[in-house]
Amino acid sequence: MTDTANLVSRLPNDIGGLPAGAIEKVDHELLPWEKRCHALADVLDFHKIINTEEKRRGVESLGSDVVGKLTYYERWIVTFANLSFQKKILTPEQLATKMDEVAARLKSEGMQVESLSP
């Protein structure tokens, strides 16, 4: 199959059959933020705000470069944000403000917080 045909026929997360290293099969405890992300997905779906199909399409629309750089739940978070913006549930400014508020609260509690600003 040509590279062009692959672009048309393969979605970014469709990597089956492509050359790659060994798959590391390791069970790990989900981090607290990953558990909250999964719970958020359940709540958004339960309230019919963002469903599983929209989430899947949203992850696929990120493109192979982004999909390859983000972890599983990071892809979900980016997708939830993008869909929330598209549906006008919240604005990027509202999300940024809330993220700053949470970072300030965590810092005041003595936690180390990574900067997400460019």
Side-chain angles (χ1 to χ4, degrees), residues 3-31:
D3 288 341
T4 304
N6 273 331
L7 287 173
V8 174
S9 64
R10 284 187 180 267
L11 296 171
N13 57 346
D14 181 9
I15 59 173
L18 296 177
I23 295 173
E24 187 178 336
K25 297 179 183 178
V26 178
D27 283 334
H28 69 281
E29 182 72 24
L30 292 178
L31 297 171

Side-chain angles (χ1 to χ4, degrees), residues 12 19 22 32 58 67 73 92 98-99 108:
V67 167
Y73 285 106
K98 181 53 78 174
M99 290 172 67
S108 74

Side-chain angles (χ1 to χ4, degrees), residues 7 12 27 36 55 75 80 86 92:
L7 287 173
D27 283 334
R36 288 191 296 272
K55 183 185 69 160
R75 295 174 206 157
F80 295 155
Q86 289 169 14

Side-chain angles (χ1 to χ4, degrees), residues 25-84:
K25 297 179 183 178
V26 178
D27 283 334
H28 69 281
E29 182 72 24
L30 292 178
L31 297 171
W33 78 267
E34 292 170 320
K35 291 178 183 178
R36 288 191 296 272
C37 179
H38 204 112
L40 176 61
D42 290 342
V43 169
L44 291 171
D45 192 35
F46 179 82
H47 290 286
K48 308 217 181 307
I49 298 169
I50 296 174
N51 64 39
T52 302
E53 179 62 16
E54 289 173 308
K55 183 185 69 160
R56 182 193 60 76
R57 282 195 326 263
V59 169
E60 289 171 351
S61 73
L62 295 174
S64 56
D65 287 343
V66 174
V67 167
K69 292 176 184 171
L70 298 178
T71 67
Y72 184 72
Y73 285 106
E74 287 172 339
R75 295 174 206 157
W76 284 24
I77 289 294
V78 171
T79 295
F80 295 155
N82 288 339
L83 289 169
S84 296

